[in-house]
Amino acid sequence: MKKIKVLFCFFCILQLGVAHTQKIKPDDSFTLELGLPNAFVNKPFKTIMQGLVSVSPYYQYTLKKGLSFGMGLHYTYFAVNEFRVPSKVYGGMHTGAVFVKVGHEKFWTERFGTDLGIKTGYAQSIITTDALKAKGVSYNQIESVYVEPVLGLVVASDVNASYRLSIGYAFYGFSYKPSIIGVDSQLGYDPAEFNKNSSFLTVGFAYTHYFNGKKSESGNFDD
């Protein structure tokens, strides 16, 4: 919660400091998102794995009515919290995904816009720990679906650029169990928890470049 408050305050400061600009009419753009993932729902996943980074670069095209289509890449890294298992385990989970995005993007004022959508794709997770290697297993590999509803609160800094507070809630289509990281014990968790999909909330920032940013009809910028 403290991380979210800090990010929100920074976003408000950014909004006050950006240059005055005319309303953007987005079309094709490139966005780079960087955030902090925090695990939810599946208790073993939430307790044992600690999210360190989430990165998503993607291309998007928005129609005049605001309907948008995009495609891109997704990467997260969760480290094992060695203090949450009986004997310390070192390592983590790398997940890469390709996705398509469908949503709605619009600037409501000269400064502020929203980008609401859902990313859907294919993900592959690689789990490597010293506990697995001690068992003669180099890594565990899991293939799954990837679904993430996302919301961007956008602040324009130029007719061709914007910054945003990015919020997403991702679902990986697999359940998390301690055995994935090489721990044989159930660690006292209710077995029903192991059947819940791994999910996490990501809060971060993003930069968007509009390749053909368009001024409003009353704007003073060149096309």
Side-chain angles (χ1 to χ4, degrees), residues 77-109:
Y77 179 68
F78 282 81
V80 176
N81 187 337
E82 66 270 20
F83 301 106
R84 296 292 186 171
V85 289
S87 58
K88 291 184 178 181
V89 176
Y90 298 94
M93 180 178 74
H94 301 266
T95 300
V98 293
F99 66 83
V100 294
K101 178 175 179 277
V102 178
H104 182 272
E105 180 183 21
K106 183 176 179 178
F107 275 83
W108 302 95
T109 70

Side-chain angles (χ1 to χ4, degrees), residues 7-65:
L7 291 171
F8 180 75
C9 290
F10 185 80
F11 176 76
C12 292
I13 293 172
L14 176 64
Q15 183 175 4
L16 293 175
V18 295
H20 183 78
T21 185
Q22 299 298 323
K23 186 188 296 185
I24 292 177
K25 290 186 177 180
D27 41 26
D28 58 328
S29 62
F30 174 80
T31 297
L32 178 62
E33 296 176 342
L34 179 64
L36 297 172
N38 294 275
F40 275 82
V41 181
N42 184 305
K43 288 185 179 179
F45 183 57
K46 180 179 179 179
T47 304
I48 298 173
M49 305 302 291
Q50 181 177 7
L52 296 184
V53 67
S54 175
V55 182
S56 291
Y58 63 90
Y59 170 84
Q60 181 165 292
Y61 188 85
T62 302
L63 303 177
K64 291 183 179 180
K65 296 295 184 180

